[in-house]
Amino acid sequence: MKTGAKVKVKMNPTGRILKDKGLTAGGDVQRFHTANVLRRIARYMPYRTGTTVKLTMTGTNINKSYIVTETPYAKYIYYGKAMEGKAPKKATERDLIYTKTKNPRAGPYWDRALAAAEGAAIRADLQRYIRRKR
């Protein structure tokens, strides 16, 4: 004897599900994550006058998946190498010496330093945020 059942599953398209859960580019999960990284990365950026950190905070659109530091000297302090010459300046082999009074963790490659030191905490924050949304 043969028994069978037909099951019909009706569900929203994948794109709609992702959008409803805030998992698309510019969705609330992306905004939370970018804002969280932006808040945390400031601790790893050089801070002498605060201009670079402040410009990064105001210049970054949290709807996007990247952090923006748009200043003429950002590249130099990010790579941690002294630059010299006339425009376009060239990197030298001399390492920059960062002032660490305000940000003791300041140094080159802010994103990498943040990921190494706080990557697990950032992932945990994101997981908690997503779980709360269910």
Side-chain angles (χ1 to χ4, degrees):
M1 181 170 193
K2 204 183 207 185
T3 61
K6 288 186 178 183
V7 177
K8 186 174 184 178
V9 177
K10 187 173 182 178
M11 58 184 263
N12 289 327
T14 308
R16 170 79 187 264
I17 295 168
L18 290 173
K19 185 176 180 184
D20 290 347
K21 297 293 182 186
L23 297 172
T24 55
D28 61 323
V29 173
Q30 176 65 64
R31 288 192 305 272
F32 170 82
H33 181 61
T34 303
N36 189 26
V37 170
L38 182 61
R39 177 179 55 83
R40 290 172 178 266
I41 205 167
R43 299 179 208 151
Y44 297 86
M45 295 175 70
Y47 192 106
R48 189 172 48 190
T49 63
T51 303
T52 306
V53 172
K54 290 172 189 167
L55 288 172
T56 300
M57 296 293 179
T58 58
T60 298
N61 178 353
I62 63 169
N63 291 312
K64 307 287 183 183
S65 61
Y66 48 86
I67 307 292
V68 177
T69 304
E70 201 166 325
T71 63
Y73 55 84
K75 177 171 68 171
Y76 314 137
I77 60 176
Y78 175 78
Y79 291 116
K81 295 293 181 185
M83 306 296 274
E84 60 185 28
K86 295 187 177 186
K89 293 186 175 196
K90 302 264 190 261
T92 66
E93 291 301 313
R94 288 184 297 122
D95 290 334
L96 290 178
I97 299 168
Y98 294 94
T99 304
K100 297 189 178 215
T101 5
K102 174 73 175 168
N103 286 344
R105 299 174 186 167
Y109 302 102
W110 318 311
D111 54 344
R112 297 174 191 175
L114 172 63
E118 300 184 39
I122 291 170
R123 282 188 297 280
D125 287 347
L126 191 55
Q127 287 173 340
R128 276 191 299 277
Y129 182 80
I130 291 169
R131 282 190 188 119
R132 277 193 314 229
K133 288 185 55 61
R134 289 186 182 174

